[in-house]
Amino acid sequence: ADAAGEMEVMLHQLVPGVEPVKVLSDTCVTTHTPSGYPYIGSVAPGLFVATGGNGLAAKSSDEIGRLAAESVMSSDGWEGNSELEKEMFEPRFVA
């Protein structure tokens, strides 16, 4: 079975008796970084990114969003996240 079919089976197992009017699936894009960590931070004055979820962003989106918000709101781009190394998440450009 394809992934969408497997997920539909799980839906019926989790919510017995549910009868969707229609089941649709679509592809999504995953972006990967060489470090395996998302890139979170400033790329230009006033321009910030949170990208490169490495296939894990759906489950990590709350924390990625928190880190991104902290990055935008802090004076140095990372002060609220002292337990994590800023360099692990700094956006990098590839030539």
Side-chain angles (χ1 to χ4, degrees):
D2 64 349
E6 291 174 14
M7 293 180 80
E8 187 175 358
V9 169
M10 284 192 289
L11 171 66
H12 289 287
Q13 290 171 343
L14 291 168
V15 188
V18 69
E19 297 200 23
V21 173
K22 192 173 193 179
V23 176
L24 299 172
S25 66
D26 203 348
T27 57
C28 67
V29 174
T30 58
T31 55
H32 297 264
T33 62
S35 67
Y37 293 103
Y39 289 165
I40 301 170
S42 176
V43 294
L47 179 61
F48 291 78
V49 297
T51 188
N54 299 290
L56 305 171
K59 75 169 188 65
S60 306
S61 61
D62 288 351
E63 184 61 10
I64 292 170
R66 185 192 71 77
L67 291 170
E70 291 270 347
S71 176
V72 171
M73 299 304 293
S74 69
S75 61
D76 73 348
W78 205 252
E79 66 191 25
N81 302 301
S82 59
E83 68 279 2
L84 298 171
E85 295 178 34
K86 177 181 180 180
E87 293 74 27
M88 290 172 36
F89 300 93
E90 270 187 324
R92 294 165 185 83
F93 292 94
V94 178

